Every structure is written in C-alpha cells, then in structure tokens.
Amino acid sequence: MGSDLASNRFSIDPRDRSQTRPAMSFVEYSEFIQEGDIAIIFLGHDSMMPVKVQQGAQTQTRYGVIRHSKDLIGQRFGTKVTCSKGGWVYVLHPTPELWTLNLPHRTQILYTTDIANITMMLELKPGSVVCESGTGSGSLSHAILRTIAPTGHLHTVEFHQQRAEKAAEEFREHRVGHLVTVRNQDVCKEGFGVTGVADAVFLDIPSPWEAVKHAKNAMKRQGGRVCSFSPCIEQVQKTVEALADEGFQEISTLEVLLRVHDVRTITLPLPDFGSDQPLETPTDTPVPSNASVLCKTTTPPRDMAGHTGYLTFATKPSV
Amino acid sequence: MADNGDNDSQHRVNEGDYVVLKRGDIYKAVQIQKKKKTVFEKQWFFLDNAVGELYGTTFEVVTGGTLQPRKPKLVESSADAKEAGTDNRNILDDGKSQKLTRDDIETLKEQGLKGQEIVQQLIENSTTFRDKTEFAQEKYIKKKKKKYENSVMVLRPSCRVMAMMYHGREPGKICHLRYDTLAQMLTLGNIHAGSKVLVFETCAGLVLGAVMERMGGYGSVVQMYPGGGPVRAGMESFGFPSHFHDTLHEFPICHVNALLAGALDTEAKDIDADSGQANGDKSNLTQTGPEKAESKECSPDTKDQCMETSTSTDPAADKEREEREKLREIRGQERKVKMEEKRKKLAAAAAVLEGRNADGLVIASRFHPCPVLLGLIKFLAPSRPFVVYSQYKEPLIECYTKLKEQGGAVSLRLTDSWIRHYQVLPNRTHPMLLMSGGGGYLLSGTTVATDTPKMGSTRGEEPAAKRLKLTETTEG
C-alpha cells in the first residue's frame, strides 16, 4: 500500500483479477454468501448494516448475534437469518444503492436520486471511460463502476490522501479494483492524470470552474459529456461561464428532488347530521356517532430533502 | 496517452445509422438514408451530407435541402457595437419599430439568405433595438435566432436523448414517463451488464432500449409482452449492434400462468405449434381442396380459371395451376418455418424464465401494475431489486399493500421526483418559468426468500417488539 502511494497511484492487486470462483462483487450478482463477501444485514424499515463476512466472526444486532460461519456462509442472499435472541433479519446482496445507504461517511455523499440522473445524463453504459473528482466516500464511484463494467474504466481523483487510500481499499474489498484507478492529487492543479480518454467527466468539488479545462483535456477528441454538482448557485454561475468559454455545448442546469410517500390507512370519521325525523324529546347532548370511513392513501414525509445540489451538464463537441 | 489509437470512424455518421436530430430542445429520431427527404421542425432536407461527419456536428440547412456543416467557432458575432439603453421608460409599443414588412422578410428568405443574415437585417431595421437594455437585446437576438436559424444537430441516439425526445414529442406513447423517472428506474433496478432482467412495458420500446443500453449486450433481457407481439420501435431507434439482439428474448404474458403452473412444457409447446401447423395445413386444404372441387372459395380471377379448366383441357392452364399449387406449398412451408421459429423463441424464453432466478424486474405499462407485479415477481431470485412505474399513484398503493400482505419483498418505497431546469446567465439566473407537472410514480423494493415450512416454527419465537414494529409499518 505504502509503495503504491509513493507512485501516487494505486495499482491493482493481481489476485483480484485471477479470481475464478463466482464470487459476489458490486458489479456481479452471486447466489450464495461466501467468505470475504460484503453482505447487507436488513434489520427493518430503513435500518441496515453492512458486514464483511468472515469465518468465525460475529456481528451484534439488536435481535441478537449473527455467527458468520453458521448463519451466513453458504446461505443464499435474500434469506431470513434467525439471530440468537430469536429475532430475525434478512441478508441482502450488496448493490451500489444499498451501499449508498450504508457506507461509512468520510464526506458528504451523493444520493441515489442525483446519481440516477447523473448516470443517464452522462450517457454512461458498459465500456464508458469516466473521470471523477473528488472520490469522497465513493458513493457515486460504486454506481459508476456498476454501470461501466465489465469493459469500462473509472479514473477517480481525490486530493485527500487518507480518503484516497480508504477508497482504493474499499474498491478492492468490493472486487471492483480492476475497473478503477484512484489518484491522490489536486484535480484543479494537476488534472485527472489522463488525457483524451474519457467519455464522461464528473466534478463534485468546491471550485469546479477551475477544473473545467482539465475536464476538457481528459475527454476524448471526439467529445463526450460533463457534469458538475454544486450546492450553491454562485458556483453554478462560474462553472457555466467556464464551460461556455471552453466551447462546451448543450449546457443545462437542473435540480431533481425525490418525494417519498408513506402508504397508510386513514380513518375519517363521519359527522352526525342527526335524524331527519323531528325528535319527540329534544335533548341537548346528541348521541356520538362512531361512523367512519377507512381509506388507503399516502402522506408526504414531514421533512424531506429540499435541496442537494444543482446539476450542470454539458457536451464537449468533437474536434 | 492521447486517444489510445482511437479510430475516428466509429464516431462518424454512416449510411443506415439511426441518429437523432436536434434543434433547440426538439429531438427527432431518423435513420440515415441517401436521397430521403426528412421533415423536421417545418423544414425539409436531405441527410446525405451528414454521412462521414462526426456525431455532434451542427449543420446549416441551405437551399435545396442540403446540409452544410457549421464550423464550431462561428457563434456570437454581435459583440461589436455595444450600444444599449438602461430601461424601457421611453420605449413605446406603436407596432412600427420594425421597418421590414412581412413581405420583405419572405423575400429575404426566398433569396436564400442565411438565418444569421436575416437576424442581422431585423436588428438593423429595428428602431428600438438600440434603446433596449443589453439583456433585452440578447433576448431579442435569441428569439429571432430560434425562428430564422436553420441549424440541425445530428446526435448519436442514447437513453438520454431518446427519453427526452419521447417525453417532448409523444408523452402519451410512453405513459408520460419522464426522463428523470426513467433514470431512477434504471438505477433502482440495478440494471447492469451480465444480469438477467425482465421487462414489461408499453412505452413503445423506450424502456426496453434503455435497459438494453445499460446491459451493453452482456446478460439477457426477457421482454414480457401483451397481445400479439412485442413493441420495439423505440428500442430499434437506439441502433444497437446486432449482437445485442442475441441477448433479447420475448415471452407472451398470456403464457405466464401456464409457465408458473408448469403446464408450459416442451410437449405443450410442440402441440401448440403443431396445432398451429395443423391450422396452417387446414387453411391450405381449404384453399386447395375447394379449388379442385371448383367451388365458390375461388377469387373471381381464379373462378374464371376454374371455369376455363373445367371446360377445356388446356395444358397451359394446367401448368399454371400446378405452379400456383407449388407456390402455396412454398408459402405453407414458410409458415411452418415461421411457426417453428416462434416455438423455438418461446422455448428459449421459457428456459430463461424457468429457473426463476432473474436479477431484475422493470414494469412500465398502461396495464394495472398489481397483477403484473405479483405475477412476474415470482421469476426473481431473492435479494434482487424490482421497480414498477405507473402514471398514477393509486394503483401503486394497492401494489404496496398487496406486497406487504403476501411478503417476499422488503424496502418498499413509493416515490416520485420533481425536476426543475434553470436559466443560468450573468445576473439573470432563475428557475425556468415552465416545469413539468408530473413524471409518474415508482414503487421499488427488493425481493427476499419467502418463508419455508422449516422457518415456520421460529416465527412463534419472534420478540414482541419486532412484530409490533412490522404491523406498524404495514398499517402505517
């Protein structure tokens, strides 16, 4: 690892490539849980935890302990596992989307709604070569890798050394190391470390306008797509100007918000209009009626993410 | 490391390519055919000159409908003569500010003047242009350019442009599925190379095409279709290489119950096909038989022939009849081959489905999603994502409730998304005035293994807290 860092670049562990057994990875489904896999323990609504499956290891949950050797290894992904206290959980196959919900945060991360739009608007598909900066916690990186596998490549740049190291380690652990190169450098000063190879570039940095030129250089001569994510409109303003100056076309800024609807059954009581027959003995206190109507509906969540960031897309024209 | 020896040829437009034309925010998918007139945005032209040019090139439409590639650095020339007003207090709407009449403009057009030149003329003949503010001037130019500049961009089809095109042109055909919603579907469904994905859609083949693009020709896609055959026009416009089509299977939704019940075995299919063939033979018979018997089934034309043959023993007519019979036989043979092909296709799709180990399920149709989802989810392996689109929320509420009741799925989420575009210009940045009101709703989730009888005993030992929690989420 240390020597890798010295060369400013993390090379691929050859063992990752030579794997022949059908092991789980973030870019390929497998049926059974094996040692070394990442599994997502599903505890209940919005409560999950990722585990690395190891012979002899144990994981504590609020429903009791899970013994990896007995409860996980050899089981099918998606099965119900009974914990020591008699409670149960489901073990799920990892996906980039589940990882986004469970990864250890080292930075602010991008969530699935933005990721989905970035992926489509950057026209990512198997074989795409993508440049990204910064790597951050690797939320978007995993989604990119899933989409561009098995023939694409991701060049990701992170100027924070510890984060770069951690990300590279995760990629190897998730068996996608062969699809990604992590570089520890400043994208605004040194660029992406590649030229003329990328179909798409993604920027999630504080001053993306300083990296627009490098983005252009990293991209194929025949053109490609670029995206910049910024929380503040002033950043967008500067980035759009820089993009236009560099000759990018189809510049477009948008924002996507997700609404999650809570499905529930509600009870609406019916008012008592009284009898239409004149009462023989008028009383001051009417008998309360229990009549009500049940109905299935959805309610909006009390709080929702109102803003994540503006997404600015553009096309680099072919030369 | 420049270009990795990349060949330009794969980035150039070829004859027969499926491309997308773009002007402003308007898209249109066409196939490049020589000498074929194309109509786009009230203009007609030929795409012959696009052949050999790079994708992404902008063309100017010139007289005679030919296209002329526009050099990239030709834009924005009005940077000179910066004379502008500060406000509009003295600008009056007298309807006389434009000195050119409608006829003048038509004449200019007929002279074959380029759009840019017409715009320049309009500016020069506008008495109020100089008094307008800098921003108003820019807006004026932009508006006129949009009207008079005859430029067309030729793009390579992609999920992005196809989804935006369908949403803009024919939202009804794709159940009003907005592009950002489609993006969610592909991501929530974890669509990627090497997986086995089921697609049920009535979105003109757009969703199928989007799924296939993300699969990149690796893995397999089974298109479940209603009615007589799958609709694929949208997918065809993606112009996928032929090997992508090898990974695509089709299965009629009307055979799902039989397949699930195990009643759709190879024998059944054989019988099915045989009966089809028998039918074919029978119709053959009804055609040939009566003719021999000289009956009313003959067309007027053949009737004459029949009468002829019945009265005379003309050898020429005999020969003709023989030939006709031969032709019929060939047709019957062709039909047989087609039936056999169809049977093979069905068997192949059934084989893919039978393992019930699909990796993903994507539904986007005009049908009620509930029976579709409950039927097709049975083909998924445990721990796999599924996503259902509906233009309306209520049917998805029903899906949600039914799935909660029957189990076999976790992480159920009913969502929709809002998309807002922005105008970003110096000192004039704001959200676009117009935004799309609705892009439909999604129900997504992950399958899990359903309880086996063995698991039944552990169920009673569940801690009370967990049970309570579950009912809470079920009933809200």
Side-chain angles (χ1 to χ4, degrees), chain A residues 29 43 78 80 88 93 97 123 146 195 221-222 237 249-250 253-257 259 261 298, chain B residues 3 8 22 153 158 160 187 190 383 385 393 414-418 420 422 425 429 449 451 462 466:
Chain A
Y29 282 118
L43 296 150
K80 192 187 254 186
W88 43 261
H93 196 289
E97 287 61 52
E123 305 188 336
R146 173 265 316 276
T195 36
R221 191 162 45 86
Q222 298 88 352
Q237 194 94 50
Q249 297 176 345
E250 293 187 275
T253 300
L254 55 90
E255 184 183 27
V256 185
L257 291 179
R259 288 208 304 168
H261 305 266
T298 65
Chain B
D3 283 322
D8 247 6
K22 185 188 184 208
M153 201 181 213
S158 71
R160 169 180 74 100
T187 297
N190 192 21
S383 194
K393 190 168 66 173
L414 179 49
T415 59
D416 74 328
S417 55
W418 283 358
R420 196 160 165 123
Y422 285 80
L425 289 169
T429 296
D451 284 329
E462 282 163 26
K466 173 100 182 182

Side-chain angles (χ1 to χ4, degrees), chain A residues 35 39 47 71 81 85 103 118 132 139 153 190 199 215 230-231 242-243 248 259 263 268 279 301 318:
Chain A
E35 179 158 31
S47 170
D71 297 332
V81 170
K85 286 186 197 160
L103 57 83
I118 291 164
E132 174 203 38
S139 173
H153 198 87
E190 297 153 276
D199 298 290
S230 297
L243 285 167
F248 281 85
R259 288 208 304 168
V263 179
L268 298 171
L279 287 176
S318 48

